[in-house]
Amino acid sequence: MELKCTAYQRFVKNAPADFIAAQLKAIVGIEIPILSIEGKWKISQNRQPADRQGVNDGLRTEQLCPSMLHMMEAP
């Protein structure tokens, strides 16, 4: 499979070595600690009953996430 070069890739390929070296020196990495994550479950509440039943059936068959199945089956 042949990949097409973007204009930026061509620019870098043709750039002088000292320019590339200067750019590489300017790359900075940072580390940010994650103190908490918040989320919300979306479990097909807005879907038709047949769609929700299909999800329930799939969860029951796969048996990969019993807690999700329990949430989906709750009234």
Side-chain angles (χ1 to χ4, degrees):
M1 175 165 83
E2 184 180 332
L3 299 176
K4 294 183 180 180
C5 287
T6 65
Y8 180 75
Q9 288 169 323
R10 284 191 298 273
F11 170 76
V12 171
K13 183 178 177 183
N14 296 325
D18 58 336
F19 174 80
I20 298 295
Q23 294 299 305
L24 288 173
K25 288 180 186 175
I27 295 174
V28 177
I30 62 171
E31 186 174 317
I32 302 172
I34 298 173
L35 303 177
S36 68
I37 296 177
E38 295 183 27
K40 194 180 256 192
W41 286 100
K42 170 113 180 45
I43 53 175
S44 302
Q45 304 94 320
N46 62 329
R47 304 296 298 184
Q48 296 295 320
D51 292 340
R52 289 195 305 268
Q53 186 60 50
V55 172
N56 286 356
D57 294 345
L59 287 169
R60 192 175 297 104
T61 300
E62 292 177 1
Q63 298 181 2
L64 296 176
C65 193
S67 58
M68 177 61 78
L69 178 60
H70 178 72
M71 284 191 285
M72 296 258 330
E73 292 180 332

